[in-house]
Amino acid sequence: MIAFGYRDARLHADELPLERLAEAVGTPFYCTSLSAVERTYGAIVEAFQGLDVSVCYALKANSNLAVLRSLAKLGAGADVVSEGELRLALAAGIPAERIVFAGVGKTERELAFALDSGIAQINVESFPELALLDRVAQARGRTAPVALRINPDVDARTHEKISTGKAENKFGIEIDRAAEAARLAHSLPGIALKGLAVHIGSQLTELQPFRSAFERMAELFRALKAEGLPLSELDLGGGLGIPYQDEAPPHLGDYADMIREVCGGLGARLQIEPGRAMVGNAGLLVSRVIYVKEGAARRFLIIDAAMNDLIRPPLYDAWHDVMPLREPPPGAPLAPVDIVGPICETGDTLARQRPLPPLEAGDLLAICSTGAYVSVMASSYNSRPLAPEVVVRGGDWAVVRPRQSFEELIGRDRLPDWLEESGASDRQRAVEGVA
Ligand SMILES: *Cc1c(COP(=O)(O)O)cnc(C)c1O
């Protein structure tokens, strides 16, 4: 991981010992290095130098406002998949003209909000969406800037739950009907057809599936342009993997070179939408051991983080490295442990059979590579308050999302007054209203 390492036998985030942050904010907490995010953004921009590419960060990986603001300041655009994300991107200062809206199920309200916000592009994923968007745009006296998301029927060779580019997946317009969709889009008065888009999945660890998909898109782009359709944008999506364990995902430079080779001659403005690759290794989750439990068959470290804070292991069988905050001395004996949370499900296992040095109740550890698809997927299952988020940059740090309080947790709910003995019943009032 780029931002985290031992110094003086203590795990640091940038220049800060994580132990110190744990004392200050309590555990569990998420820690993101903004300097790591910014370095990665810089490396992506540099890898694509000479190509007309806009980098639209996929918010769904990590939509914390501080992360978004640091990217906005560097000039990044955004890829959003809901009205909430669109509002967050705008609130973070990402200009509307750098925002792309993707997703299979945009509602009428979301499309209207996107049009009113004046965003750069709406990626349409189906014929019914195209029809609805045309109607919504016309009703508002606008034309919607549209790219058609195409499903190229390419196997991304990643986990099935995050594979999006096969014919049987719900995403995109099937490539065999792409020309039909493009002609239709061009004919609709509420639609300004701008380009094509593709995104075949996440955590890709090989270049070849990208290449296959981009070659199909390049061929389609050329054919449709030759037909006279006014295409100027080609959105290549995200999906670049990161090392969690021993994966060797494509190097940024090789990914960019392949894109240059396949798409460089199209005369298209390119877009890429990295999410995980931008933030995944810029964050970790710090937790404290509550108990060390010697089970009949295994030793368990029961920690104060759980599947509500980190759903990826149960959801995707994901691997996250685990590091004690105190560096084990050289030659420390290692013994396998299962690292589990307090939640009442066996699925609440965050790591299995990890060789770790002896840890005791009260010791701190870091679960690594939790910058992407972790805090954004957190819940308060088991009525566990949402964990706080801390960002660091160099020697600076801040709590950018405080720990949820019990008042906030309980205060989300309302009691119907007909459950309260003194209050007049809603049901009674409704009946009286009818009578
Ligand atoms: C999720 C998503 C991304 C980002 O994917 P990563 O694997 O995080 O890079 C990009 N584009 C679209 C359309 C997405 O749905």
Side-chain angles (χ1 to χ4, degrees):
M1 282 185 306
I2 29 191
F4 307 102
Y6 289 114
R7 206 193 293 172
D8 305 324
R10 300 286 185 276
L11 192 62
H12 282 59
D14 288 3
E15 291 158 29
L16 296 157
L18 283 159
E19 271 183 7
R20 225 176 80 200
L21 302 183
E23 290 311 320
V25 303
T27 53
F29 71 94
Y30 304 101
C31 177
T32 305
S33 162
L34 292 186
S35 43
V37 175
E38 290 162 1
R39 275 200 303 276
T40 303
Y41 177 78
I44 291 173
V45 169
E46 192 177 311
F48 282 94
Q49 226 154 43
L51 264 187
D52 188 4
V53 176
S54 71
V55 180
C56 296
Y57 168 61
L59 254 69
K60 74 177 189 285
N62 185 332
S63 53
N64 184 278
L65 206 53
V67 171
L68 300 182
R69 172 82 83 192
S70 80
L71 287 169
K73 282 178 146 183
L74 296 177
D79 166 60
V80 303
V81 293
S82 69
E83 180 176 339
E85 284 194 354
L86 175 48
R87 287 176 182 272
L88 266 168
L90 293 169
I94 298 176
E97 61 270 19
R98 293 206 189 112
I99 299 178
V100 174
F101 193 176
V104 289
K106 303 177 205 78
T107 62
E108 179 165 351
R109 174 201 157 109
E110 288 181 315
L111 293 172
F113 183 76
L115 286 170
D116 291 346
S117 306
I119 64 169
Q121 183 175 306
I122 300 175
N123 291 356
V124 168
E125 301 216 14
S126 65
F127 284 89
E129 186 189 351
L130 190 60
L132 176 59
L133 180 56
D134 177 48
R135 184 158 64 68
V136 174
Q138 286 197 60
R140 309 177 97 72
R142 296 182 185 271
T143 32
V146 161
L148 297 174
R149 176 166 174 186
I150 307 302
N151 183 322
D153 194 20
V154 167
D155 186 352
R157 294 206 286 264
T158 180
H159 192 281
E160 60 164 342
K161 287 183 184 159
I162 47 174
S163 184
T164 59
K166 286 287 288 172
E168 63 265 32
N169 298 136
K170 68 180 175 182
F171 299 94
I173 295 167
E174 58 190 281
I175 192 157
D176 292 342
R177 296 188 70 189
E180 179 194 343
R183 288 173 207 133
L184 174 62
H186 187 46
S187 74
L188 295 173
I191 303 289
L193 178 65
K194 299 272 187 202
L196 302 175
V198 69
H199 172 73
I200 60 170
S202 195
Q203 185 55 15
L204 272 70
T205 53
E206 302 166 73
L207 210 49
Q208 189 53 44
F210 283 122
R211 179 186 282 274
S212 304
F214 298 167
E215 282 171 353
R216 285 182 194 191
M217 295 302 292
E219 188 187 337
L220 182 63
F221 193 92
R222 279 200 185 89
L224 296 181
K225 258 192 104 163
E227 233 186 73
L229 291 167
L231 302 181
S232 58
E233 318 285 321
L234 181 57
D235 180 342
L236 300 172
L240 195 59
I242 61 168
Y244 283 98
Q245 187 179 6
D246 47 17
E247 305 92 333
H251 289 296
L252 211 42
D254 296 337
Y255 173 71
D257 287 347
M258 181 272 290
I259 288 175
R260 199 171 272 119
E261 182 196 328
V262 177
C263 305
L266 291 175
R269 259 176 51 88
L270 302 177
Q271 295 153 356
I272 55 164
E273 304 169 341
R276 190 188 309 269
M278 194 89 90
V279 291
N281 274 327
L284 45 69
L285 171 61
V286 177
S287 179
R288 195 180 287 278
V289 177
I290 309 172
Y291 300 112
V292 180
K293 179 172 174 178
E294 304 290 345
R298 289 184 170 192
R299 172 185 290 168
F300 297 100
L301 290 187
I302 302 172
I303 65 173
D304 64 4
M307 63 187 276
N308 70 301
D309 308 298
L310 171 61
I311 192 74
R312 296 191 69 257
L315 187 59
Y316 309 122
D317 305 307
W319 172 287
H320 290 268
D321 275 338
V322 176
M323 296 168 83
L325 291 205
R326 299 222 167 156
E327 187 174 25
L334 304 179
V337 290
D338 278 11
I339 297 168
V340 302
I343 283 182
C344 309
E345 294 201 22
T346 299
D348 186 22
T349 298
L350 303 182
R352 273 175 225 286
Q353 295 298 288
R354 295 301 174 81
L356 284 180
L359 289 173
E360 293 171 11
D363 285 349
L364 291 160
L365 49 80
I367 303 174
C368 302
S369 307
T370 61
Y373 303 107
V374 176
S375 65
V376 283
M377 290 189 177
S379 76
S380 49
Y381 184 38
N382 276 212
S383 296
R384 292 165 47 84
L386 294 170
E389 301 207 31
V390 172
V391 296
V392 304
R393 179 156 66 186
D396 288 331
W397 69 279
V399 176
V400 292
R401 187 180 296 163
R403 188 182 308 282
Q404 189 176 35
S405 69
F406 287 111
E407 288 72 22
E408 288 169 317
L409 188 79
I410 296 165
R412 291 194 308 164
D413 289 350
R414 300 286 177 272
L415 283 172
D417 58 7
W418 44 264
L419 260 188
E420 300 294 84
E421 280 167 34
S422 55
S425 151
D426 278 349
R427 198 178 304 164
Q428 211 168 354
R429 269 205 301 271
V431 169
E432 281 161 8
V434 168

